[in-house]
Amino acid sequence: MLRSAAAAAALTAWPDTHLARDVWSRVLHLAVTPARPGAPALVIALADTLLPRTDTPGALDVNAPAFVDVIVLEYYTEEERAEFLAGLEAIDAMSVTVAGAAFASLDASAREPVMQALEDPAQRTTPAGRTYSRLRGLIVHGYFTSERVQREVLQVDVIPGRFDGSAPLHVRERSGVRRG
């Protein structure tokens, strides 16, 4: 039940599920990797902190940072992209203030106070808070729409049972008129 609720929440967070499919096909087609310059270390570190590997794959296992990368680089306007990148810098500046170093260079325990500061409702109107909220949504959406999570975690069976595309079609005759 929790898996279904999480999937529903993730899919409703983004109104166009066709866009998610398109983005994932772009990720696979372009062979985008987290090492690509568009996905900075901060995005990778936040993805790993938000959805770490447990008994299920984590955000890095399904390449959620690449999903974010494609969205930001190919679907954001120039203004949105500039605001997003400035927000990433603001997140790192907050990390330096709260924990003494850039977020990606912190270990898991040192990231906790930064995450708490980012989750603080007072941060929602700051550039760091707005970008964190947007980034968190992209990571979660990318994670839950990835093929691996759909199959292994949520166990979505798009075509239940068996698909047999070449099954014979039996046409019934009615009133002497054959249809087909």
Side-chain angles (χ1 to χ4, degrees):
M1 189 157 110
L2 289 174
R3 287 180 184 163
S4 296
L11 293 176
T12 58
W14 201 309
D16 188 354
T17 56
H18 296 291
L19 180 62
R21 274 195 302 259
D22 180 53
V23 172
W24 277 115
S25 77
R26 299 283 297 143
V27 167
L28 296 173
H29 181 264
L30 295 174
V32 177
T33 64
R36 185 172 164 184
L42 173 61
V43 174
I44 295 166
L46 277 166
D48 191 39
T49 303
L50 288 167
L51 295 165
R53 179 185 302 141
T54 57
D55 57 336
T56 59
L60 299 184
D61 297 320
V62 299
N63 210 2
F67 180 89
V68 172
D69 190 30
V70 170
I71 291 289
V72 172
L73 293 176
E74 297 183 17
Y75 291 90
Y76 276 18
T77 65
E78 289 295 325
E79 183 179 318
E80 289 171 325
R81 189 176 309 115
E83 182 181 327
F84 185 81
L85 295 174
L88 292 179
E89 290 177 13
I91 291 171
D92 254 344
M94 173 187 275
S95 178
V96 170
T97 301
V98 171
F103 190 83
S105 66
L106 299 172
D107 64 21
S109 62
R111 290 179 180 173
E112 184 65 30
V114 179
M115 295 298 288
Q116 287 175 352
L118 287 167
E119 293 284 347
D120 184 354
Q123 288 296 324
R124 290 185 185 153
T125 59
T126 67
R130 285 192 308 269
T131 300
Y132 170 72
S133 178
R134 182 179 271 182
L135 178 59
R136 182 184 60 211
L138 288 172
I139 290 168
V140 169
H141 189 77
Y143 178 80
F144 280 106
T145 58
S146 69
E147 181 179 359
R148 185 169 176 196
V149 170
Q150 290 285 311
R151 289 180 190 260
E152 294 176 21
V153 178
L154 301 175
Q155 299 177 349
V156 172
D157 191 8
V158 177
I159 302 175
R162 186 182 99 176
F163 175 75
D164 189 356
S166 62
L169 175 63
H170 299 286
V171 180
R172 293 187 289 188
E173 291 187 30
R174 195 164 103 177
S175 302
V177 177
R178 183 180 171 132
R179 298 184 324 187

